Amino acid sequence: MKPKSILLMRKLFFPTLLLFCCGVFAQENKKVSTYNYGYNGMEYVVKTTNETTIVSTFNSKFQIKDEIASNVYEQVKCGDFKTGDTLVILGNNAKVTGKCYIKKNGKLTSLNFYYEKVEWDNGLTEIYKKV
């Protein structure tokens, strides 16, 4: 081959390779949808010798409500949170963002967690929208 043809091949090969790699490693488009239904109720109860804690979830997704409720308890128990703080809870197949309200009455503690956004591992994001 002539030196000009080798130089031309190099000029075409590297941009083509770069374009191919960008296409292969490009991220998927994430889908966003809203929902206006959810499950409400007591999901998790923890009794110790000197306290009872009840975790209730609101606007929750049925598939992950139990797991997220137990994770809310663990995160609030281990952290320094105030009522009304926004929490990000990681589950096995979703990340949930919501507000947690803490009420104490004697030996009873109530943790009320309101779902705001669920980001599923498959790329779908569901946002709670009150009707």
Side-chain angles (χ1 to χ4, degrees):
M1 287 190 181
K2 296 180 183 177
K4 286 186 178 182
S5 61
I6 292 174
L7 187 60
L8 181 62
M9 281 182 21
R10 284 184 184 170
K11 285 184 178 179
L12 292 176
F13 178 73
F14 290 115
T16 305
L17 181 65
L18 181 65
L19 186 63
F20 176 76
C21 289
C22 288
V24 168
F25 295 110
Q27 293 181 350
E28 292 182 22
N29 289 338
K30 293 193 175 198
K31 296 178 185 175
V32 177
S33 69
T34 59
Y35 70 100
N36 58 3
Y37 57 89
Y39 293 89
N40 301 331
M42 292 187 299
E43 305 300 337
Y44 194 66
V45 178
V46 178
K47 289 185 179 185
T48 61
T49 56
N50 54 349
E51 184 178 45
T52 301
T53 303
I54 299 172
V55 180
S56 299
T57 59
F58 299 90
N59 314 321
S60 63
K61 302 302 284 183
F62 181 75
Q63 300 90 339
I64 57 173
K65 64 185 177 75
D66 297 327
E67 175 190 13
I68 297 299
S70 64
N71 290 352
V72 166
Y73 172 75
E74 292 298 324
Q75 192 164 350
V76 170
K77 180 181 82 169
C78 296
D80 184 27
F81 293 101
K82 297 177 284 189
T83 188
D85 283 353
T86 298
L87 298 179
V88 177
I89 307 296
L90 298 175
N92 288 337
N93 41 342
K95 178 171 79 169
V96 178
T97 305
K99 291 209 183 275
C100 187
Y101 297 95
I102 304 168
K103 295 180 185 177
K104 290 190 178 195
N105 187 3
K107 293 184 175 186
L108 178 66
T109 301
S110 174
L111 303 176
N112 297 325
F113 184 72
Y114 291 83
Y115 282 51
E116 292 178 346
K117 178 172 61 169
V118 179
E119 298 175 62
W120 296 97
D121 288 345
N122 64 6
L124 175 65
T125 300
E126 294 182 296
I127 300 172
Y128 180 75
K129 184 177 181 182
K130 190 174 180 179
V131 179

